[in-house]
Amino acid sequence: MRPDGAAETTAPVWICATCGNHYPEAPSPPSVCVICADERQWVPPNGQRWTTPEELRAAGHRGDVREVEPGLLGIGLDPPFAIGQRALLVRTAEGNLLWDPPGFLDQLALQAVRDAGGLAAVTASHPHFYGAIAEWSRAFDAEVLLPEADAAWLTRPPERPPRTWSGSLPVLPGVTLVQCGGHFPGSAVLHWAEGAGGAGVLLTGDTIFVTPGEDRVTFVGSAPNRLPLPERAVRGVAEAVRPYRFDRIYGGWWTPVLRRDAKAVVERSAERYIQWLRGEAPAG
Ligand SMILES: [Zn+2]
Ligand SMILES: [Zn+2]
């Protein structure tokens, strides 16, 4: 039965209300969200909560579509849901790629992607942001790209089997996925060579975390549980992006954005982070 007393005609897709990840259609939800039960996420003090696309629609969540810069469309939700990430659609002459989709999509979001020329591929920085990936894939018959190291975290298998990759993967002209590790073994960034007026852009989700002052970045084992990364993982992230040219970084949310000089900021921030880990930075 639904909350309004009417019978469900079909089994719903279950969505974790905390992280926004989808689980397969079933008459009742799973007992746990494996993503939230993991140490890098969290379960509400009163226990696991589930929702459905129908409930989210009824609660008034709507697509929130904004041009972030020429060639880059942001697709979030208003009000935001779960972790609150907004997706980014990277547009190229040979097709578009969607990055870090939230856990709900509506007709407005679908129409915005149709108007932008559709979808060749959909992927995410890491499992916390897999969201409605299977739904997007089905809507456009888009390829799902997952790092081999994290593929097992996808909780709702798409109809079209995902393509796994490791190391780096050129997806479209000037669009490359780069495995950095750290937060998750498969944590990735997307390098977009034409972004920032040709100076280059990284889309990073939680892989490289832009801080509120928009003047540094940080690295997280877990953001909500305030867990750090070890030195070797921080060095691994910095090394993975070093071969690429970029001046700007978009994290997982509309703001903050590291607007300029991002390449030097990543190097500087990584060194400073390691000084803090080693107890070599003054704590006041
Ligand atoms: Zn969850
Ligand atoms: Zn995360």
Side-chain angles (χ1 to χ4, degrees), residues 107-163:
Q107 286 303 324
L108 197 148
L110 284 167
Q111 192 57 46
V113 172
R114 262 183 232 121
D115 293 346
L119 200 57
V122 55
T123 188
S125 56
H126 71 298
H128 293 153
F129 291 171
Y130 285 171
I133 220 168
E135 204 94 11
W136 280 105
S137 170
R138 186 172 59 178
F140 291 93
D141 192 28
E143 189 164 46
V144 175
L145 302 171
L146 296 179
E148 175 73 44
D150 291 348
W153 286 103
L154 185 63
T155 48
R156 184 187 181 204
E159 285 169 20
R160 182 172 167 175
R163 174 155 63 116

Side-chain angles (χ1 to χ4, degrees), residues 6-284:
E8 287 283 358
T9 47
T10 53
V13 167
W14 293 100
I15 305 174
C16 173
T18 312
C19 73
N21 274 284
H22 286 207
Y23 287 75
E25 292 97 330
S28 56
S31 54
V32 293
C33 170
V34 290
I35 304 257
C36 287
D38 174 77
E39 193 180 6
R40 287 160 285 199
Q41 249 288 114
W42 55 281
V43 176
N46 296 328
Q48 172 66 36
R49 289 189 305 115
W50 297 100
T51 187
T52 64
E54 193 182 345
E55 268 186 17
L56 291 171
R57 200 169 293 114
H61 294 281
R62 298 284 178 268
D64 179 7
V65 179
R66 311 179 197 175
E67 187 180 70
V68 172
E69 64 167 73
L72 192 66
L73 203 64
I75 304 174
L77 288 170
D78 182 23
F81 166 61
I83 302 176
Q85 77 270 20
R86 54 87 190 91
L88 290 167
L89 184 78
V90 184
R91 303 175 65 176
T92 81
E94 293 185 27
N96 302 330
L97 180 146
L98 187 72
W99 172 259
D100 282 351
F104 176 65
L105 60 100
D106 66 354
Q107 286 303 324
L108 197 148
L110 284 167
Q111 192 57 46
V113 172
R114 262 183 232 121
D115 293 346
L119 200 57
V122 55
T123 188
S125 56
H126 71 298
H128 293 153
F129 291 171
Y130 285 171
I133 220 168
E135 204 94 11
W136 280 105
S137 170
R138 186 172 59 178
F140 291 93
D141 192 28
E143 189 164 46
V144 175
L145 302 171
L146 296 179
E148 175 73 44
D150 291 348
W153 286 103
L154 185 63
T155 48
R156 184 187 181 204
E159 285 169 20
R160 182 172 167 175
R163 174 155 63 116
T164 56
W165 62 278
S166 27
S168 64
L169 180 72
V171 184
L172 291 163
V175 176
T176 308
L177 297 176
V178 182
Q179 182 179 2
C180 297
H183 183 39
F184 277 76
S187 277
V189 300
L190 181 150
H191 179 248
W192 177 37
E194 287 176 16
V201 157
L202 291 184
L203 315 184
T204 63
D206 283 355
T207 307
I208 298 174
F209 211 92
V210 181
T211 55
E214 300 189 337
D215 60 349
R216 62 164 68 199
V217 297
T218 192
F219 309 89
V220 296
S222 164
N225 297 325
R226 307 298 195 267
L227 297 176
L229 277 189
E231 177 173 340
R232 68 174 186 287
V234 174
R235 292 203 184 281
V237 175
E239 274 163 26
V241 300
R242 200 165 288 143
Y244 298 89
R245 204 170 144 265
F246 59 93
D247 197 50
R248 184 175 299 164
I249 293 180
Y250 294 100
W253 298 264
W254 295 112
T255 57
V257 174
L258 182 56
R259 292 167 203 280
R260 62 190 69 81
D261 207 22
K263 200 169 170 62
V265 170
V266 168
E267 296 290 347
R268 199 158 63 228
S269 300
E271 286 312 315
R272 191 62 176 159
Y273 189 102
I274 289 164
Q275 286 174 349
W276 274 92
L277 285 179
R278 292 177 171 182
E280 293 168 0

